[in-house]
Amino acid sequence: MGHLEALQKIADQEGGNRAAGTSGYEASARYVEDQLRAAGYNPVRQVFTYEDEDLDADRQTFNILADTAGSENHTVVVGGHLDSVPESPGINDNASGVAAMLETARWMAESGVEPKNRVRFAFWGAEEVDLLGSQHYVDELSATEKSKTAVNINIDMAASPNGVRFVHDGDGSTFGEAGPPGSTGLESVLFDYFGKNSLAADPTGFIGDSDYDPFLQAGIATGGLFAGDVGTKTAEEVQKYGGTANEDHDRCYHERCDTIQNVNRELLKDMAGALGYATLAFAMTQM
């Protein structure tokens, strides 16, 4: 929650948002970089340029990448977007995912974990424009680097106030579209975490709506965690998770009210736990 408070304060000071190409995004990035350095990482910026259609001009922004030790031949990319939409401070979408990533990175460093496989924590820029940061990252990978990327674990909106513990349908058994080879394993690991902790979880489909999609299109194993946005909560979901039927999972999605008051703290704890569990599982697995 401390990370969410810090990112909320930044949005408050920078015009109410943390959108790509703005001072709010720059301040958010500096906060993330400071947190990573304090934990012993060496974050780097991956800069890229995109066309801002509203301004009819090019705009520059960047991803932030930070690596653990471990074999680069089996890189685990843990990703979530750092930017908000211009209309919102973006605390559930996606400061919640950023906070879970920062805590996973800090925990791995402070616990003395020596990963077999390199973990790359990737904080994507311009997701809200059109998944541009993650697409740029994948586009810049050589064929060899793609083959050395073992899996992408995505986290986007981890604390929806009327939310659900969604896991992407890696094997396609529910929604018909499987992820690339290896995606089934990620789905299994995430459901394993929730099962071991007696927490309900449900599959969700790959619909191209988050930063997993460039990895999926490149044939890299992918999936991850999502708590819901404008989807309507069903009566069945209420029986499993509580909350209110026939209302959005997050009524403040892309709205000014996506503030720290919009956060489901218990759900954030569950999703952050699942992210840490899956990250460590793939970091330590002999591949």
Side-chain angles (χ1 to χ4, degrees):
M1 290 302 298
H3 300 308
L4 300 190
E5 290 166 1
L7 292 169
Q8 175 72 68
K9 183 177 180 181
I10 287 168
D12 291 343
Q13 294 172 340
E14 301 291 347
N17 72 82
R18 303 178 301 97
T22 68
S23 57
Y25 185 77
E26 173 64 32
S28 299
R30 288 199 303 269
Y31 174 79
V32 167
E33 290 165 335
D34 288 346
Q35 293 296 309
L36 291 167
R37 290 190 186 101
Y41 294 88
N42 181 31
V44 297
R45 293 187 177 189
Q46 183 185 40
V47 178
F48 61 95
T49 301
Y50 66 97
E51 182 181 357
D52 188 322
E53 295 181 356
D54 292 333
L55 298 177
D56 193 24
D58 288 343
R59 177 170 282 197
Q60 190 177 86
T61 191
F62 53 88
N63 302 320
I64 300 171
L65 309 176
D67 293 349
T68 68
S71 172
E72 65 180 27
N73 292 323
H74 304 287
T75 298
V76 179
V77 179
V78 178
H81 71 91
L82 179 57
D83 62 316
S84 73
V85 294
E87 298 78 20
S88 172
I91 301 305
N92 182 35
D93 184 19
N94 181 41
S96 62
V98 169
M101 289 170 60
L102 286 173
E103 283 303 288
T104 299
R106 181 193 60 78
W107 166 67
M108 285 187 68
E110 292 183 358
S111 64
V113 169
E114 296 181 2
K116 292 183 173 67
N117 309 310
R118 177 174 67 180
V119 176
R120 171 165 288 169
F121 294 99
F123 301 82
W124 308 122
E127 188 267 1
E128 298 290 9
V129 181
D130 191 17
L131 312 182
L132 297 184
S134 52
Q135 186 66 64
H136 176 77
Y137 176 84
V138 171
D139 288 346
E140 289 295 298
L141 295 175
S142 67
T144 299
E145 288 169 330
K146 286 179 183 176
S147 72
K148 291 181 176 181
T149 304
V151 66
N152 163 238
I153 308 173
N154 189 62
I155 184 164
D156 192 357
M157 301 182 67
S160 302
N162 196 34
V164 172
R165 300 180 200 93
F166 283 127
V167 173
H168 286 288
D169 183 23
D171 63 5
S173 60
T174 303
F175 293 93
E177 181 183 356
S183 304
T184 298
L186 174 57
E187 180 188 14
S188 177
V189 167
L190 290 168
F191 274 117
D192 182 60
Y193 174 82
F194 290 127
K196 285 181 175 178
N197 288 279
S198 301
L199 296 169
D202 282 288
T204 188
F206 290 114
I207 60 172
D209 61 341
S210 190
D211 290 300
Y212 62 78
D213 195 58
F215 292 88
L216 187 151
Q217 299 302 329
I220 297 169
T222 191
L225 297 158
F226 174 57
D229 48 32
V230 293
T232 301
K233 197 164 201 177
T234 66
E236 182 182 3
E237 288 171 353
V238 171
Q239 288 183 337
K240 291 182 179 180
Y241 303 97
T244 305
N246 302 316
E247 291 191 5
D248 290 351
H249 294 122
D250 183 1
R251 65 179 181 82
C252 290
Y253 175 63
H254 286 184
E255 300 289 345
R256 293 187 65 83
C257 58
D258 185 14
T259 67
I260 200 161
Q261 282 73 41
N262 190 47
V263 168
N264 183 329
R265 295 185 180 212
E266 285 301 309
L267 185 54
L268 177 58
K269 180 179 72 173
D270 296 340
M271 300 293 256
L275 182 70
Y277 180 85
T279 300
L280 187 63
F282 283 98
M284 302 305 292
T285 296
Q286 190 68 44
M287 298 186 187

